[in-house]
mmCIF file of all heavy atoms in Angstrom:
data_model
loop_
_atom_site.group_PDB
_atom_site.id
_atom_site.type_symbol
_atom_site.label_atom_id
_atom_site.label_comp_id
_atom_site.label_asym_id
_atom_site.label_seq_id
_atom_site.Cartn_x
_atom_site.Cartn_y
_atom_site.Cartn_z
ATOM 1 N N ARG A 11 6.365 0.766 -11.886
ATOM 2 C CA ARG A 11 6.639 1.778 -10.869
ATOM 3 C C ARG A 11 6.671 1.174 -9.491
ATOM 4 O O ARG A 11 7.205 1.747 -8.562
ATOM 5 C CB ARG A 11 5.617 2.914 -10.954
ATOM 6 C CG ARG A 11 4.208 2.514 -10.667
ATOM 7 C CD ARG A 11 3.262 3.687 -10.871
ATOM 8 N NE ARG A 11 1.913 3.258 -11.106
ATOM 9 C CZ ARG A 11 1.056 2.947 -10.162
ATOM 10 N NH1 ARG A 11 1.412 3.014 -8.911
ATOM 11 N NH2 ARG A 11 -0.153 2.552 -10.453
ATOM 12 N N ALA A 14 10.158 -2.244 -7.811
ATOM 13 C CA ALA A 14 11.198 -2.227 -6.780
ATOM 14 C C ALA A 14 10.651 -2.600 -5.418
ATOM 15 O O ALA A 14 11.392 -2.998 -4.529
ATOM 16 C CB ALA A 14 11.835 -0.847 -6.732
ATOM 17 N N ALA A 32 1.073 -12.582 17.967
ATOM 18 C CA ALA A 32 1.179 -11.723 19.137
ATOM 19 C C ALA A 32 0.144 -10.609 19.169
ATOM 20 O O ALA A 32 0.069 -9.887 20.136
ATOM 21 C CB ALA A 32 2.582 -11.119 19.192
ATOM 22 N N PHE A 47 -4.481 -4.882 3.393
ATOM 23 C CA PHE A 47 -3.453 -4.117 2.686
ATOM 24 C C PHE A 47 -2.615 -5.040 1.805
ATOM 25 O O PHE A 47 -2.361 -4.730 0.635
ATOM 26 C CB PHE A 47 -2.560 -3.377 3.689
ATOM 27 C CG PHE A 47 -1.340 -2.775 3.064
ATOM 28 C CD1 PHE A 47 -1.417 -1.553 2.424
ATOM 29 C CD2 PHE A 47 -0.129 -3.450 3.097
ATOM 30 C CE1 PHE A 47 -0.288 -1.009 1.823
ATOM 31 C CE2 PHE A 47 0.995 -2.916 2.500
ATOM 32 C CZ PHE A 47 0.918 -1.695 1.863
ATOM 33 N N ALA A 52 -0.845 -6.579 -3.332
ATOM 34 C CA ALA A 52 -0.433 -7.655 -4.242
ATOM 35 C C ALA A 52 -1.177 -7.553 -5.579
ATOM 36 O O ALA A 52 -0.593 -7.825 -6.636
ATOM 37 C CB ALA A 52 -0.676 -9.015 -3.591
ATOM 38 N N ARG A 82 -7.065 3.565 -4.457
ATOM 39 C CA ARG A 82 -8.003 4.236 -3.555
ATOM 40 C C ARG A 82 -8.277 3.348 -2.339
ATOM 41 O O ARG A 82 -8.242 3.813 -1.194
ATOM 42 C CB ARG A 82 -9.310 4.555 -4.285
ATOM 43 C CG ARG A 82 -10.336 5.299 -3.429
ATOM 44 C CD ARG A 82 -11.684 5.418 -4.126
ATOM 45 N NE ARG A 82 -12.211 4.151 -4.606
ATOM 46 C CZ ARG A 82 -12.714 3.168 -3.832
ATOM 47 N NH1 ARG A 82 -12.752 3.328 -2.530
ATOM 48 N NH2 ARG A 82 -13.174 2.063 -4.354
ATOM 49 N N ALA A 96 -1.255 1.726 17.991
ATOM 50 C CA ALA A 96 -0.608 0.431 18.192
ATOM 51 C C ALA A 96 -0.397 0.235 19.688
ATOM 52 O O ALA A 96 0.075 1.136 20.374
ATOM 53 C CB ALA A 96 0.716 0.377 17.446
ATOM 54 N N PRO A 114 9.250 3.927 -0.146
ATOM 55 C CA PRO A 114 10.295 4.058 -1.169
ATOM 56 C C PRO A 114 9.753 4.483 -2.539
ATOM 57 O O PRO A 114 10.290 5.388 -3.167
ATOM 58 C CB PRO A 114 10.929 2.662 -1.228
ATOM 59 C CG PRO A 114 10.688 2.106 0.139
ATOM 60 C CD PRO A 114 9.327 2.626 0.541
ATOM 61 N N MET A 129 1.272 9.872 5.204
ATOM 62 C CA MET A 129 1.798 10.800 6.204
ATOM 63 C C MET A 129 1.025 10.656 7.517
ATOM 64 O O MET A 129 1.626 10.734 8.599
ATOM 65 C CB MET A 129 1.740 12.241 5.696
ATOM 66 C CG MET A 129 2.484 13.203 6.590
ATOM 67 S SD MET A 129 4.207 12.747 6.943
ATOM 68 C CE MET A 129 4.961 12.979 5.352
ATOM 69 N N HIS A 130 -0.270 10.407 7.437
ATOM 70 C CA HIS A 130 -1.045 10.167 8.664
ATOM 71 C C HIS A 130 -0.522 8.923 9.380
ATOM 72 O O HIS A 130 -0.426 8.896 10.609
ATOM 73 C CB HIS A 130 -2.539 10.014 8.351
ATOM 74 C CG HIS A 130 -3.234 11.306 8.122
ATOM 75 N ND1 HIS A 130 -3.689 12.107 9.142
ATOM 76 C CD2 HIS A 130 -3.532 11.955 6.969
ATOM 77 C CE1 HIS A 130 -4.254 13.195 8.645
ATOM 78 N NE2 HIS A 130 -4.168 13.129 7.320
ATOM 79 N N LEU A 135 2.403 6.347 13.735
ATOM 80 C CA LEU A 135 3.457 5.463 14.237
ATOM 81 C C LEU A 135 4.396 6.221 15.167
ATOM 82 O O LEU A 135 4.754 5.729 16.237
ATOM 83 C CB LEU A 135 4.237 4.852 13.073
ATOM 84 C CG LEU A 135 5.407 3.944 13.443
ATOM 85 C CD1 LEU A 135 4.952 2.766 14.287
ATOM 86 C CD2 LEU A 135 6.112 3.465 12.187
ATOM 87 N N ALA A 143 3.707 11.804 23.419
ATOM 88 C CA ALA A 143 4.345 12.895 24.168
ATOM 89 C C ALA A 143 4.564 14.112 23.291
ATOM 90 O O ALA A 143 4.981 13.986 22.145
ATOM 91 C CB ALA A 143 5.686 12.420 24.725
ATOM 92 N N ILE A 145 6.729 17.462 22.936
ATOM 93 C CA ILE A 145 7.997 18.013 23.442
ATOM 94 C C ILE A 145 8.046 19.497 23.147
ATOM 95 O O ILE A 145 7.684 19.950 22.130
ATOM 96 C CB ILE A 145 9.212 17.302 22.817
ATOM 97 C CG1 ILE A 145 9.172 15.851 23.238
ATOM 98 C CG2 ILE A 145 10.508 17.963 23.231
ATOM 99 C CD1 ILE A 145 10.226 14.984 22.594
#
Side-chain angles (χ1 to χ4, degrees):
R11 64 184 158 83
F47 170 82
R82 182 188 52 73
M129 190 53 69
H130 281 278
L135 178 59
I145 297 174

